[in-house]
Amino acid sequence: MNDNYRAMNFSAGPSILPEEVLKKCAAEILNYEGTGESVMEMSHRSSEFKKICEEAEMNLRTLMNIPEDYYVLFLQGGGTLQFSMIPINLMTESGKADYVVSGEWGKKAYQEALKFGDVRKLASSEDKLFSYIPKFNKEDIREDVDYVYVCYNNTIYGTHYNEFPDVGDHLLVADMSSCILSEEIDVSKFGLIFAGAQKNIAPAGLTIVIVRKDLVGKASEKTPVYLDYGVHAKKDSMYNTPPCWSIYVAGEVFKHLINTGGINAVYEKNLRKANKLYDCIDSSKLFRGTARKEDRSIMNITFVTGDPDLDKKFVSEAKEKGMLNLAGHRSIGGIRASLYNALPEEYVDALINFMKKFESENV
Ligand SMILES: *Cc1c(COP(=O)(O)O)cnc(C)c1O
């Protein structure tokens, strides 16, 4: 097989990265900028790595327009550790928080938070298999909660907050693991945003936390040291060895995004890709979208034929055509195409062509 062969990877995560970035990382893998070391081998205390880390943070701040009064932390433990760190660090005044359960990840976050305080479900869409974003009135939020929690893009179900979740004067916390950097976000409307890197940014191992500075440093004294945002903030994410390689790749992805027009440009492309695919689904006699239209995600697109065996046949025939990872999440089945930033528009065109062919052969 051709050494440079690249499949069309529709994985929900870990997922596709920009080819230009992978090539640059490959070119530097033995000798990073004349040091004679790989970034994988480099001391995290070296001046070279410090520069990589500082530039990555600076470029992320530029891309997302992150205000000065927010920390950017580079942590480990995935999105999952944030399900614990958020209540440990933020549920410290009233000990109460309200959670919107709009999918499996929101449910996991809610269940974890129950261990740490007085946690309530503010709204849920579990009644209809999380196929929509559940609404709430800001008056329904308990007055003294420390925060309100939402999952901004539901990776498994293909739903997204297309309307901003208005929580009034309350603090809003959002899991943006599968939509960070895909669209413009006003960071100042959030107390905390977090994202595991492996969906839209970098290889697994890095979790990015963007948190307002005044919220940090309130965890109790018994908090395990790694779980305290204050410790990481004070040490510029270098309290212990950070996920160096993943931070380096993330930094390269940030530079690549800046050089290709920033978030606005990638959002336009994302929208074009998603609309094409949704148009194909909506005009099909075979395929049907599973998310409510007004809540559709442009990152994760979920659909079914209505026949689980036919879904499986579709996924396996697509694989033969070089289109990988189109199976829906193992918990719900069906078909899911993840169209993250790095996924070229041509892959969507190829998928649409294949869907039309498959439809003509199977209806
Ligand atoms: C993937 C994902 C997670 C879990 O991330 P891990 O890094 O595997 O812990 C959490 N939230 C969302 C929205 C995700 O897509």
Side-chain angles (χ1 to χ4, degrees), residues 28-145:
E28 293 179 337
I29 203 158
L30 293 176
N31 179 4
Y32 176 75
E33 294 195 346
T35 57
E37 298 170 285
S38 173
V39 176
M40 289 190 210
E41 304 167 308
M42 197 175 268
S43 164
H44 63 291
R45 306 282 175 201
S46 64
S47 59
E48 288 85 4
F49 186 72
K50 225 173 150 208
K51 187 161 158 262
I52 289 172
C53 221
E54 283 168 3
E55 280 184 7
E57 176 176 340
M58 196 181 70
N59 287 330
L60 181 63
R61 283 183 179 276
T62 303
L63 277 168
M64 292 183 70
N65 203 8
I66 300 171
E68 271 299 308
D69 60 330
Y70 284 72
Y71 291 118
V72 172
L73 307 176
F74 294 145
L75 307 180
Q76 305 192 51
T80 300
L81 190 58
Q82 293 314 306
F83 300 164
S84 324
M85 284 178 80
I86 287 162
I88 286 171
N89 286 272
L90 302 188
M91 219 197 279
T92 51
E93 303 277 335
S94 69
K96 294 180 188 174
D98 282 358
Y99 275 63
V100 177
V101 176
S102 59
E104 209 52 54
W105 297 118
K107 191 173 168 186
K108 288 211 164 89
Y110 163 75
Q111 285 167 338
E112 182 67 7
L114 284 172
K115 297 177 186 170
F116 299 101
D118 175 358
V119 172
R120 195 187 61 137
K121 242 184 243 179
L122 176 61
S124 168
S125 51
E126 198 165 8
D127 59 338
K128 289 187 181 149
L129 203 69
F130 298 124
S131 57
Y132 66 102
I133 296 286
K135 295 265 187 303
F136 60 87
N137 293 319
K138 61 179 178 226
E139 294 74 27
D140 295 338
I141 299 166
R142 291 179 296 172
E143 205 158 312
D144 58 345
V145 289

Side-chain angles (χ1 to χ4, degrees), residues 11 88 100 142 166 192 197 202-203 222 235 307 319:
S11 172
I88 286 171
V100 177
R142 291 179 296 172
D166 182 9
L192 183 149
K222 292 266 192 218
K235 300 285 184 181
D307 171 358
K319 189 173 175 188

Side-chain angles (χ1 to χ4, degrees), residues 78-80 83 105 151 153 155 175 177-178 198-199:
T80 300
F83 300 164
W105 297 118
C151 179
N153 185 77
T155 325
D175 177 354
S177 292
S178 51
Q198 74 272 24
K199 308 283 163 66

